[in-house]
Amino acid sequence: MKKRWLAGILALMMGITSIGCGVGVISPGESEHQGTTNTGRIVVGFSQLGAESDWRSANSQSMRSAFTKEKGYEFIFEDGQQKQANQITAIRTFIQQEVDYIVLAPVTETGWDNVLQEAKDAGIPVIIVDRMVDVEDESLFTCWVGSNFELEGQKVAEWLNQYAKSQNIQPEDLHIVNIQGTIGASAQIGRTKGLADAAKKYGWDLMAEVSGDFTQAKGREAMEALLKQFDNINVVYCENDNSALGAIQAIEATGKKVGPNIAEGEIMIISFDGVNEEAIQLALEHKITCIAECNPLHGPRVEAIIELLEKGQKPDKFSYVDEMIYSANESVKTLTIDDKEYEVTIITEDILTERQY
Ligand code: GYE
């Protein structure tokens, strides 16, 4: 990689700017450079979208552990702080640095065409990770690896359908609110669709969809407002665990109880990720009734893709990660979606200790 020496010099300059030289400040986001010298390492620039959740922290950690100096990588990490403009700046900087690979975890799906065209023109492969990009021309990125967010939504919705049936709860008696993720992010789009489609199919009362931005603070705020607006909520579909923690705080602050016993006035919490330890603990206590796993450990997956590309081979354009569905409630054992059966993993203390996150 002949460009590497140049990237090394640039990385060195960046290191100097961080101790106050005052040239070449690259972005308002946080920047981390694992090294400043470069001797034949593969340079990977990673534009991470932010640090909004436990899932995200686990994802960043996974990437950092995959691309170490020991393994021959120079890893440049840029935190976009939830702003697409910061991510675009980071990508442009990676292009100027002539990195060997750009890895992008995009905050939202649209708006990437121009900057990805710039990367393509510069001959730098772009690997998309986690959320997707929605671009006119799919040759603007090399490949994508992440989760099937709509399937995650379908799984928890089907779990709810079967649970309601097992308890003789009528579909129209399910009064649901959706605390959505960051609007326009693939994880939000897919999970929102999974619920909305099921609500339509089964005749559930889906009363509101509001964003909690995947954070605990906004999840709490959203739930507080919803509790003021509706007095009959009995299911809260939270598009990640952090917003579920916020929703639970808001519900418990009003003296109401969270749990699966809707008929006895409890409010059921459904969630996604299964990364936050507190959320798994709450699931064990039946305070979160069902969690669709979302696996954040993409570091080794992206590394495998780069290894293939280094050998001149072609990775699959889209790679989906297999994921589980968790519940401590044993009413539903398996789910069928599009003729495929999924086993519900019953949460036990062992699951807490065995998890790799
Ligand atoms: O579920 C959420 C995070 O895009 C899959 O983003 C990711 C989602 C994850 O903030 O916790």
Side-chain angles (χ1 to χ4, degrees):
M1 299 270 157
K2 58 181 182 306
K3 297 177 214 147
R4 278 183 211 140
W5 64 272
L6 181 59
I9 291 168
L10 279 157
L12 183 62
M13 286 168 64
M14 313 275 316
I16 293 168
T17 59
S18 71
I19 54 166
C21 239
V23 282
V25 173
I26 54 160
S27 93
E30 270 172 36
S31 172
E32 257 175 49
H33 305 280
Q34 283 197 350
T36 51
T37 56
N38 201 315
T39 44
R41 293 199 184 105
I42 297 172
V43 183
V44 176
F46 177 40
S47 168
Q48 175 61 288
L49 64 92
E52 74 287 359
S53 66
D54 291 77
W55 189 100
R56 189 66 48 205
S57 310
N59 178 247
S60 295
Q61 190 45 49
S62 172
M63 295 291 288
R64 283 194 186 98
S65 329
F67 296 104
T68 58
K69 279 206 173 113
E70 294 69 43
K71 289 197 224 161
Y73 293 102
E74 186 77 35
F75 186 59
I76 311 173
F77 181 99
E78 285 291 333
D79 178 346
Q81 302 187 340
Q82 301 293 324
K83 292 194 179 68
Q84 184 176 43
N86 290 346
Q87 292 202 275
I88 290 174
T89 304
I91 295 170
R92 293 209 165 113
T93 307
F94 295 151
I95 296 170
Q96 282 166 19
Q97 287 172 285
E98 299 191 19
V99 301
D100 296 309
Y101 296 93
I102 292 173
V103 181
L104 168 65
V107 61
T108 47
E109 289 191 350
T110 54
W112 300 102
D113 299 71
N114 291 344
V115 75
L116 293 189
Q117 184 66 56
E118 291 166 31
K120 189 179 176 188
D121 293 345
I124 304 173
V126 176
I127 298 159
I128 311 289
V129 67
D130 169 24
R131 303 174 186 174
M132 293 235 188
V133 291
D134 178 2
V135 284
E136 282 283 308
D137 170 6
E138 286 194 342
S139 78
L140 292 182
F141 60 93
T142 303
C143 60
W144 168 89
V145 61
S147 306
N148 186 336
F149 303 114
E150 190 177 338
L151 178 62
E152 291 173 353
Q154 288 172 321
K155 281 184 191 164
V156 285
E158 195 47 37
W159 187 94
L160 179 61
N161 172 45
Q162 293 202 29
Y163 176 79
K165 278 192 183 150
S166 75
Q167 307 295 304
N168 284 320
I169 300 167
Q170 296 310 304
E172 62 275 18
D173 293 334
L174 288 178
H175 304 294
I176 309 170
V177 292
N178 180 5
I179 301 187
Q180 299 168 290
T182 303
I183 301 300
S186 309
Q188 175 273 313
I189 296 168
R191 291 169 188 169
T192 295
K193 185 171 187 310
L195 175 67
D197 288 351
K200 212 165 149 198
K201 178 170 167 197
Y202 296 120
W204 299 338
D205 178 23
L206 175 56
M207 301 191 294
E209 295 172 324
V210 286
S211 178
D213 225 358
F214 287 130
T215 68
Q216 182 160 348
K218 295 228 175 104
R220 182 175 181 153
E221 266 172 40
M223 192 67 222
E224 281 166 355
L226 288 164
L227 286 165
K228 285 187 190 132
Q229 205 183 338
F230 303 101
D231 61 6
N232 60 344
I233 300 169
N234 54 17
V235 177
V236 187
Y237 180 96
C238 305
E239 290 187 3
N240 80 340
D241 284 339
N242 293 80
S243 60
L245 296 180
I248 294 171
Q249 286 176 328
I251 293 166
E252 292 185 335
T254 67
K256 293 191 176 167
K257 277 187 148 186
V258 290
N261 301 317
I262 293 178
E264 287 159 35
E266 288 182 349
I267 299 180
M268 179 188 286
I269 307 289
I270 286 172
S271 183
F272 294 84
D273 286 352
V275 174
N276 177 293
E277 201 174 316
E278 192 185 343
I280 293 281
Q281 186 61 47
L282 289 173
L284 203 54
E285 295 164 20
H286 298 263
K287 285 191 169 192
I288 298 179
T289 309
C290 181
I291 301 178
E293 182 200 19
C294 185
N295 188 311
L297 305 181
H298 294 320
R301 297 179 186 123
V302 178
E303 192 191 350
I305 289 170
I306 289 180
E307 277 170 9
L308 272 186
L309 292 168
E310 284 290 299
K311 284 189 226 148
Q313 292 171 12
K314 208 172 159 206
D316 290 341
K317 188 84 184 183
F318 296 95
S319 307
Y320 289 90
V321 176
D322 281 339
E323 295 171 328
M324 305 207 276
I325 172 157
Y326 301 117
S327 178
N329 188 298
E330 300 194 36
S331 313
V332 183
K333 304 261 189 270
T334 56
L335 310 166
T336 306
I337 296 152
D338 294 334
D339 297 328
K340 203 171 163 204
E341 200 172 89
Y342 300 89
E343 201 176 316
V344 178
T345 302
I346 303 302
I347 298 186
T348 57
E349 287 285 351
D350 289 349
I351 298 271
L352 244 184
T353 45
E354 279 165 17
R355 279 172 343 121
Q356 338 145 49
Y357 311 136

